[in-house]
Amino acid sequence: MAAAIRLRFRRRSAIPGFGLALGYTLFYLSLIVLIPLAALLLKASGLGLRGIFEIATEPRVLAALRLSFGLSLAAAFVDSIFGLVIAWVLMRYRFPGRKLLDAAVDLPFALPTAVAGIALATLYAPNGWLGAVLLSFGIKVAFTPLGIFIALMFVGLPFAVRTVQPLIAEIDREVEEVSATLGASRAQTLRRVILPMLTPAMLTGFALAFARSVSEYGSVIFIAGNLPYVSEIAPLLIVIKLEEYNYAGATGIAAIMLAVSFVTLLAINLLQAWTRRFAHA
Amino acid sequence: MPIRTKALAVLFAALAAMLSLASAARAQTVLLNVSYDPTRELYRDINQAFIADWKAKTGETITLRMSHGGSGAQARSVIDGLDAAVVTLALAPDIDAIANATKKLPADWQTRLPNNSCPYTSTIVFVVRKGNPKTIHDWDDLVKPGIQVVTPNPKTSGGARWNYLAAWGYAQAQSKDDAKARDFIAALFKNVPVLDTGARGATNTFAQRGIGDALIAWENEAFLLLKEFPDKFEIVVPSVTVRAEPPVALVDGNVDAASTRKVAQAYLDFLYSPAAQAIMAKHFYRSFKPEGAAKEDIERFPKVNALGIDAFGGWSAVQATHFADGGVFDQVMKAAHP
């Protein structure tokens, strides 16, 4: 198994056209991703490093960044765990309604985020179905950071499920059986055999769910309460700067978010490379 | 081969049909009115009336297109090139921003039409729950501990700026002291549990989600709410409020490029006609010339003690002092969350 995977990653391509494909890749990436991001950085560079630093250390911006990144990490973490469980159940068990459940996982992708936000706000508002029940236990969800957390879990879940699903499909049952016949307990099989194979994919799912959550605006805005310093997310602060016709300030925050996201994603990628090596050593 | 020829012929026919459709559409004059959020129903009626009026006068059939959104966002769209023939926004500074950034209309645009280019005005009132269980009668009652007030974020909502100014105007009249007025604003926003980004969002939070004891809202929005939920809410008129003036303007640069100046100007003039003024009153906006409106539409407006924007030193002073980055609103929010 390990050898097969290593082969897949190290194998030389048998298909010609590397130059053409690379050229196309560079052109396409530049057009769709790099040029817009360069425009953003160019606009932000008008502020100078000092200006960006001042924006980054403004207490309100700091509070918004802390909220956005903190909740996104937390939501992505919970999503990865439950995403793994959901993917496992969907791939390993046959039960009526499985196909329907499988399709439902993608709904957060397809739903306009504003609709999701309004639905969640209705559900979790103090007079909503779930909100009323939770309130009787003294838990407020809508219009608090907890509401933001729930909205972010909602939008991130499909990434966590869909990234591990194909890998689970590839794991042969024999692998588990071999592990069992060699004397491993069920927990050992899970911890030493199954999880190491899935960790890189889980990290990918984590990274995608995290990236999606950081940039999320539509669904959060309806359930957040949007109070400065408390439940104001960084993307809203960008919109507020735009309302002040402060394009430089808006791009400044955007550039900071971009930098933090880039560093975080890079760290996740490195971690992934490390776990992959670890898994197959 | 014949099949391919046939397919080609069909393709060409389809293309030709599309082109002729496109040119037919071009032959007709199209005006784009870029407006703010709550005016959808209003302009739907006004546009219908104007199209009929213009056809009766000139025999020409025109098309009116609408674009709605937050006032500031709409202004930015026009700055970025949306070819609005006319803009009908919530705040004069938004049209000023277009004039400054694009030079498509002169800086003195607001003097070109009557009543500071405002065919109607509106005001700010409170909406409370039926029976007024928290006995809210004036601004003072909103800053009491334990009262929850719903108002949108003045940073993102034009209507919310009027709400804020009305509160400021009241506090100023009471204390004649800026520092005390600032404390009043701080106390007010301490009671705000949700800061929605727009006026309609705040209305929903209050009405649908059941949040808050009082909603500070546009008068027209308040009336609309009462119409939709007949037995759930009441309007309370505070002792001091503001005269909100949503202005309209011709975007000269765009109408000259499309040679639609004449009809666009006629459209704006039409807004001041008795017919349009009556439609405005029907939609709960205070018409500039109420003579043409139905009597019962006018009579339902409560008498208010309303301050104009001049009472606050004009828009540019207000923006700089209160709503700019680091202005009074930012300071108040900062002080509340050290």
Side-chain angles (χ1 to χ4, degrees):
Chain A
M1 183 69 217
I5 286 182
R6 190 184 303 156
L7 245 182
R8 216 178 60 203
F9 282 106
R10 302 262 168 92
R11 192 169 51 194
R12 273 223 194 121
S13 173
I15 302 169
F18 169 74
L20 189 67
L22 182 70
Y24 182 72
T25 304
L26 285 180
F27 171 75
Y28 199 70
L29 259 184
S30 305
L31 193 69
I32 305 291
V33 179
L34 296 179
I35 292 179
L37 289 186
L40 172 77
L41 290 179
L42 196 71
K43 198 128 196 178
S45 70
L47 291 163
L49 273 181
R50 202 193 160 81
I52 291 185
F53 183 74
E54 267 165 25
I55 292 175
T57 49
E58 215 175 277
R60 186 165 167 198
V61 177
L62 264 182
L65 289 172
R66 205 178 298 134
L67 187 77
S68 273
F69 284 102
L71 286 179
S72 298
L73 283 173
F77 181 74
V78 175
D79 270 342
S80 322
I81 309 254
F82 284 98
L84 175 67
V85 175
I86 293 172
W88 186 266
V89 169
L90 288 177
M91 295 313 291
R92 272 306 165 90
Y93 304 110
R94 292 289 171 271
F95 52 93
R98 191 185 67 92
K99 284 253 161 67
L100 269 178
L101 270 188
D102 197 22
V105 169
D106 281 333
L107 281 183
F109 273 145
L111 208 61
T113 51
V115 177
I118 290 169
L120 289 172
T122 312
L123 203 57
Y124 286 101
N127 63 356
W129 291 349
L130 286 174
V133 177
L134 287 168
L135 194 66
S136 63
F137 295 106
I139 304 169
K140 274 194 207 166
V141 179
F143 315 119
T144 68
L146 189 59
I148 303 179
F149 176 68
I150 287 181
L152 294 183
M153 280 208 303
F154 178 84
V155 296
L157 185 68
F159 295 96
V161 178
R162 292 298 181 228
T163 43
V164 287
Q165 221 171 356
L167 263 111
I168 294 176
E170 273 180 30
I171 299 175
D172 291 324
R173 254 170 207 273
E174 284 111 66
V175 176
E176 295 150 53
E177 285 160 11
V178 166
S179 167
T181 51
L182 290 177
S185 71
R186 289 173 142 188
Q188 275 174 327
T189 305
L190 196 65
R191 197 162 49 85
R192 308 283 292 273
V193 179
I194 303 293
L195 277 183
M197 286 195 274
L198 295 180
T199 314
M202 276 177 78
L203 281 171
T204 305
F206 178 84
L208 289 174
F210 165 77
R212 177 78 175 79
S213 296
V214 166
S215 60
E216 182 56 26
Y217 178 78
S219 65
V220 173
I221 230 61
F222 293 95
I223 198 170
N226 306 325
L227 294 177
Y229 303 93
V230 179
S231 53
E232 185 177 64
I233 52 167
L236 173 63
L237 213 49
I238 293 177
V239 173
I240 287 175
K241 298 275 176 203
L242 286 176
E243 290 290 336
E244 290 165 357
Y245 299 101
N246 182 357
Y247 287 80
T251 46
I253 302 178
I256 295 164
M257 289 186 74
L258 203 63
V260 178
S261 293
F262 186 73
V263 171
T264 316
L265 291 175
L266 196 67
I268 295 172
N269 274 347
L270 290 176
L271 189 67
Q272 200 178 21
W274 182 74
T275 56
R276 196 173 280 147
R277 200 175 322 143
F278 178 75
H280 307 126
Chain B
M1 268 303 141
I3 292 174
R4 186 174 288 177
T5 326
K6 205 171 171 187
L8 267 179
V10 170
L11 195 72
F12 272 116
L15 261 178
M18 269 160 68
L19 278 175
S20 64
L21 266 179
S23 60
R26 180 153 303 167
Q28 201 178 53
T29 306
V30 177
L31 290 185
L32 175 65
N33 176 358
V34 173
S35 193
Y36 59 113
D37 222 8
T39 55
R40 290 163 209 271
E41 297 83 6
L42 171 72
Y43 278 110
R44 197 179 307 142
D45 287 1
I46 286 184
N47 290 352
Q48 223 171 14
F50 176 70
I51 288 167
D53 184 74
W54 188 253
K55 185 156 176 87
K57 276 187 187 143
T58 64
E60 191 188 351
T61 307
I62 59 156
T63 305
L64 270 160
R65 289 194 205 290
M66 293 302 304
S67 163
H68 294 277
S71 190
Q74 293 291 77
R76 280 196 309 282
S77 302
V78 176
I79 289 173
D80 293 340
L82 183 65
D83 54 352
V86 300
V87 283
T88 55
L89 297 178
L91 302 173
D94 288 328
I95 303 185
D96 282 335
I98 300 173
N100 283 338
T102 65
K103 311 284 173 212
K104 279 182 179 171
L105 62 166
D108 66 344
W109 60 269
Q110 206 165 2
T111 61
R112 296 193 293 183
L113 287 165
N115 196 31
N116 289 328
S117 295
C118 299
Y120 61 86
T121 60
S122 190
T123 189
I124 295 299
V125 296
F126 304 162
V127 181
V128 297
R129 302 196 184 274
K130 189 77 184 173
N132 200 353
K134 299 280 173 90
T135 54
I136 290 161
H137 297 293
D138 206 352
W139 291 100
D140 265 343
D141 300 317
L142 297 186
V143 299
K144 287 180 181 158
I147 297 289
Q148 290 202 318
V149 184
V150 176
T151 177
N153 191 338
K155 290 284 196 167
T156 50
S157 156
R161 289 188 199 176
W162 290 113
N163 297 356
Y164 172 105
L165 285 178
W168 181 269
Y170 170 84
Q172 267 271 338
Q174 294 287 305
S175 63
K176 316 258 181 256
D177 178 24
D178 272 8
K180 287 203 174 123
R182 190 180 291 230
D183 291 345
F184 186 85
I185 292 285
L188 176 68
F189 277 93
K190 210 174 159 190
N191 282 350
V192 176
V194 180
L195 272 180
D196 279 291
T197 48
R200 196 46 73 80
T203 307
N204 279 335
T205 298
F206 178 75
Q208 315 264 19
R209 312 266 172 272
I211 303 262
D213 304 303
L215 168 76
I216 314 177
W218 290 107
E219 183 181 52
N220 54 293
E221 193 84 354
F223 273 112
L224 210 61
L225 196 58
L226 258 61
K227 202 167 107 181
E228 239 163 88
F229 302 93
D231 272 324
K232 286 181 75 178
F233 305 108
E234 284 175 23
I235 290 182
V236 170
V237 181
S239 65
V240 176
T241 180
V242 286
R243 187 175 63 253
E245 299 183 319
V248 301
L250 188 75
V251 187
D252 302 51
N254 288 347
V255 291
D256 287 343
S259 13
T260 50
R261 177 182 276 274
K262 207 170 132 223
V263 50
Q265 184 61 52
Y267 178 65
L268 289 184
D269 292 338
F270 180 78
L271 297 180
Y272 290 88
S273 72
Q277 293 280 313
I279 294 173
M280 288 164 191
K282 193 173 133 246
H283 285 277
F284 311 110
Y285 294 93
R286 294 180 180 236
S287 317
F288 168 51
K289 284 187 277 188
E291 299 81 27
K295 210 165 151 239
E296 68 269 20
D297 285 348
I298 295 300
E299 273 169 355
R300 61 191 176 184
F301 290 125
K303 277 215 163 10
V304 293
N305 169 24
L307 303 166
I309 191 67
D310 297 337
F312 303 93
W315 264 119
S316 34
V318 163
Q319 293 283 69
T321 316
H322 293 281
F323 305 124
D325 209 4
V328 173
F329 179 71
D330 277 349
Q331 294 164 23
V332 161
M333 293 314 275
K334 193 171 182 173
H337 301 279

